[in-house]
Amino acid sequence: QSVLTQPPSASGTPGQRVTISCSGSSSNIGSNSVIWYQQLPGTAPKVLIYSNNQRPSGVPDRFSGSKSGTSASLAISGLQSEDEADYYCAAWDDSLSGYVVFGGGTKLTVL
Amino acid sequence: QLQLQESGPGLVKPSETLSLTCTVSGGSISSTSYYWGWLRQPPGKGLEWIGSIYYSAHTSYNPSLKGRVTISLDMSKNHFSLILTSVTAADTAVYYCARLLRTGVGTTTPPDYWGQGTLVTVSS
């Protein structure tokens, strides 16, 4: 059971806009910044969004992030076949002695 | 360009100890800006943070693994290590080492740089 809650799957057709949600609590998303990762099969996660809505250099502006209260979202516009991957949200959690928490991941299928 | 590389046995017997090392190049683990950590991903499942260490040797561990985990660092070799004791089949996973940005005393962001990962299988 993951601390952050994501839908297990999402899908869209090429060119569409897809949104993936990430729900947490006041001890994680509510008080700390969110990172979104993209993980292609057999590879390490890659940072897509950091500090809730910032893109590292090299990440297309088709990817955007937002945060409101204890929830965050990743939006992918102009969906492409190469976007088919697993997506994870993560944040620091202030509860107990503090630790990094993840969502369970969302498998994005491009139809 | 920062690079992290995991190394260690790919097969560990049940009840024994898993030991991995992460060698860092293109950056120093003595930096005051970062923690260095371990994460894992069981086959077909999601990501789990194991723990992190600062250059001062301050550590943070996942409460679910506390008691079995030790993370240490060797600044002379610019590497840090993971020890996980009393392993079971549930510890079979791809293990990643990573860099985490320090945001305060004992607090970090999730990882911003990851190693490529190494599969460790627990089996007799």
Side-chain angles (χ1 to χ4, degrees):
Chain A
Q1 193 80 348
S2 301
V3 173
L4 305 180
T5 301
Q6 296 179 236
S9 64
S11 64
T13 56
Q16 269 191 329
R17 183 177 188 268
V18 171
T19 300
I20 298 171
S21 62
C22 176
S23 176
S25 67
S26 58
S27 64
N28 42 65
I29 294 178
S31 51
N32 297 293
S33 63
V34 176
I35 283 185
W36 286 93
Y37 300 100
Q38 178 191 62
Q39 187 176 35
L40 298 169
T43 69
K46 166 193 167 185
V47 176
L48 273 184
I49 298 289
Y50 67 96
S51 296
N52 306 321
N53 55 17
Q54 302 298 302
R55 278 188 312 276
S57 61
V59 173
D61 60 7
R62 302 186 295 105
F63 295 91
S64 62
S66 64
K67 182 179 111 169
S68 178
T70 59
S71 293
S73 291
L74 173 71
I76 309 170
S77 60
L79 200 61
Q80 299 179 4
S81 58
E82 56 261 38
D83 298 333
E84 188 161 294
D86 293 324
Y87 293 84
Y88 293 90
C89 59
W92 179 264
D93 192 301
D94 293 321
S95 64
L96 302 175
S97 53
Y99 60 118
V100 175
V101 294
F102 288 90
T106 298
K107 170 67 178 175
L108 175 63
T109 301
V110 181
L111 302 169
Chain B
Q1 176 74 0
L2 182 73
Q3 290 189 321
L4 301 95
Q5 179 67 57
E6 305 88 352
S7 59
L11 180 64
V12 181
K13 290 182 168 54
S15 80
E16 295 193 345
T17 296
L18 179 159
S19 180
L20 296 174
T21 295
C22 180
T23 301
V24 178
S25 57
S28 174
I29 64 171
S30 61
S31 168
T32 58
S33 298
Y34 301 102
Y35 273 69
W36 305 90
W38 289 96
L39 302 96
R40 68 182 183 178
Q41 184 172 34
K45 296 188 178 180
L47 298 161
E48 180 183 37
W49 177 76
I50 299 171
S52 305
I53 189 165
Y54 195 46
Y55 84 99
S56 63
H58 175 265
T59 52
S60 297
Y61 296 127
N62 189 320
S64 69
L65 295 171
K66 213 166 185 178
R68 294 203 295 138
V69 178
T70 302
I71 297 175
S72 60
L73 51 76
D74 185 334
M75 279 193 265
S76 68
K77 295 180 180 178
N78 211 41
H79 75 205
F80 59 102
S81 300
L82 167 70
I83 291 179
L84 181 66
T85 61
S86 305
V87 299
T88 69
D91 295 309
T92 293
V94 174
Y95 284 75
Y96 295 99
C97 61
R99 187 184 80 170
L100 303 90
L101 178 66
R102 178 180 182 266
T103 54
V105 177
T107 65
T108 72
T109 65
D112 60 354
Y113 270 91
W114 298 65
Q116 65 185 24
T118 186
L119 174 63
V120 178
T121 301
V122 178
S123 174
S124 54

